[in-house]
Amino acid sequence: MRVTQSMVAANSLRNINKSYGSMAQYLEQLSTGKKITKASDDPVIAQKGMYYRTSLNEVEQYKRNLSEVYLWMDNSEASMDQGNKSFQRIRELMIQAKNDTNETTDREAIAKEIAQLKEDLVSVANTQVAGRYIFNGTSVNTAPVTSDANGVVVNSENDPYLVEVSRGIQLKANADPSQLFSQELFNTIGEIERELSEDDMDLDSLLQKFDGLVTTFSAERSDLGARYNRLELLESRIDNQEVLAKKVLSENEDVDMEKVYTDFITQESVHRAALQMGASIIQPSLVDFLR
């Protein structure tokens, strides 16, 4: 077959164009850091990328859920600590009041302090986080405890406030209000206040009853601590899942910069050589001789 000047020129032009295309692809990968920029570049990579990215988004959402559970538990623990201090002070005042050397004015002063501690417990029971009551089950928009001149009324719900912290795993974020700030608790404290005004007061039975309520309170606090420890374990596992998800996603989509740069330099050398060879093979035209 006779090879003409136009065939050589056409082949050279086609190969040079292909070389330009390869260099453009390498430049695009180097500038974006990605193997592909559209699904048509490699449908398999694009499909896997969607799956891996969905998994990563899921993990990131679980991390946000974990933060919410931490917020609830941290605030619950802080509130319980404050409540426990009030309980201890009430118990201390009750023991002090049992002393026969107390005058009537002394018992009145003790009763006033216990009344203040009771109001403090009401405020603790109505603790809010981001505008939501954390000791009222799932009725987060309603105060569980109200207090007025007629006394304290508890109207709390005990439904667990569940948050999904991993696929198929829901963790209870709140504490059981019936074990912490019950109607019986406030009634007992009210009885203590009234008993202090009696001349022939009997605080022993009330102290025993109060101790039982404090024990229930402490048990619920321990349960919260146990769930907090589990939450930390779940956080560690989700952190590992996030690292793995990002690694798989990166291996699927991100380019090996060193390899791409080396390929680009190699292609550039080939391109320059093709230009030089094409210029020497294509014969000069008549116009070139006339210059």
Side-chain angles (χ1 to χ4, degrees):
M1 183 180 68
R2 180 173 177 269
V3 179
T4 64
Q5 176 72 19
S6 59
M7 292 172 62
V8 173
N11 286 333
S12 298
L13 183 60
R14 184 176 67 253
N15 292 328
I16 289 173
N17 284 336
K18 289 176 61 179
S19 179
Y20 266 127
S22 297
M23 292 176 64
Q25 182 181 5
Y26 291 137
L27 279 174
E28 190 172 26
Q29 290 180 344
L30 287 171
S31 60
T32 63
K34 301 294 182 182
K35 293 177 182 176
I36 62 173
T37 55
K38 53 185 181 298
S40 59
D41 291 341
D42 192 325
V44 176
I45 291 179
Q47 184 178 8
K48 287 184 176 178
M50 290 175 61
Y51 173 76
Y52 296 147
R53 189 165 284 102
T54 299
S55 299
L56 179 59
N57 290 338
E58 185 179 85
V59 171
E60 290 176 344
Q61 180 58 52
Y62 286 140
K63 290 196 71 174
R64 287 191 286 273
N65 292 352
L66 281 173
S67 298
E68 182 179 2
V69 178
Y70 269 122
L71 181 66
W72 275 66
M73 288 191 174
D74 286 338
N75 280 278
S76 296
E77 170 58 26
S79 300
M80 288 186 200
D81 184 61
Q82 183 180 344
N84 186 59
K85 289 177 180 175
S86 296
F87 289 149
Q88 297 306 318
R89 180 56 181 164
I90 290 174
R91 193 177 192 283
E92 182 181 332
L93 290 171
M94 289 178 69
I95 294 174
Q96 181 182 345
K98 290 171 61 178
N99 194 334
D100 290 337
T101 59
N102 287 319
E103 301 290 340
T104 302
T105 54
D106 296 331
R107 294 201 302 272
E108 289 176 352
I110 291 173
K112 288 180 181 178
E113 184 172 351
I114 290 177
Q116 290 300 313
L117 291 170
K118 184 177 68 177
E119 290 302 314
D120 185 66
L121 287 172
V122 170
S123 67
V124 172
N126 289 333
T127 299
Q128 290 179 280
V129 174
R132 293 177 294 178
Y133 294 95
I134 62 175
F135 294 119
N136 199 22
T138 54
S139 299
V140 295
N141 296 318
T142 307
V145 181
T146 56
S147 176
D148 55 25
N150 297 322
V152 177
V153 176
V154 178
N155 191 25
S156 61
E157 292 190 8
N158 304 324
D159 296 333
Y161 189 89
L162 300 175
V163 179
E164 186 164 341
V165 293
S166 186
R167 184 174 293 180
I169 299 177
Q170 291 184 323
L171 196 63
K172 181 182 172 185
N174 64 331
D176 188 346
S178 67
Q179 305 297 309
L180 300 174
F181 308 104
S182 62
Q183 185 67 60
E184 183 182 9
L185 171 69
F186 290 104
N187 289 344
T188 301
I189 297 175
E191 290 177 24
I192 294 170
E193 289 180 59
R194 289 190 292 273
E195 191 66 24
L196 288 172
S197 63
E198 301 290 337
D199 293 332
D200 187 19
M201 64 178 185
D202 179 16
L203 289 176
D204 289 337
S205 58
L206 286 174
L207 181 59
Q208 185 177 3
K209 188 176 181 181
F210 184 75
D211 283 345
L213 293 167
V214 173
T215 301
T216 303
F217 181 94
S218 299
E220 185 62 23
R221 190 179 182 186
S222 299
D223 180 72
L224 179 71
R227 280 185 279 126
Y228 195 94
N229 291 337
R230 185 188 175 193
L231 182 64
E232 290 179 330
L233 292 175
L234 286 169
E235 182 186 30
S236 177
R237 192 174 75 179
I238 289 177
D239 284 343
N240 290 333
Q241 288 178 342
E242 183 182 27
V243 172
L244 291 175
K246 286 183 177 178
K247 179 184 177 184
V248 172
L249 183 62
S250 176
E251 289 176 347
N252 181 65
E253 294 183 350
D254 295 343
V255 296
D256 184 344
M257 299 297 284
E258 292 80 3
K259 181 179 183 303
V260 173
Y261 184 73
T262 302
D263 291 342
F264 173 77
I265 296 298
T266 303
Q267 187 63 43
E268 186 181 38
S269 300
V270 172
H271 185 75
R272 289 180 184 278
L275 288 175
Q276 291 176 355
M277 290 300 294
S280 61
I281 291 175
I282 297 174
Q283 295 179 2
S285 65
L286 179 61
V287 177
D288 295 323
F289 287 109
L290 296 176
R291 285 177 179 174

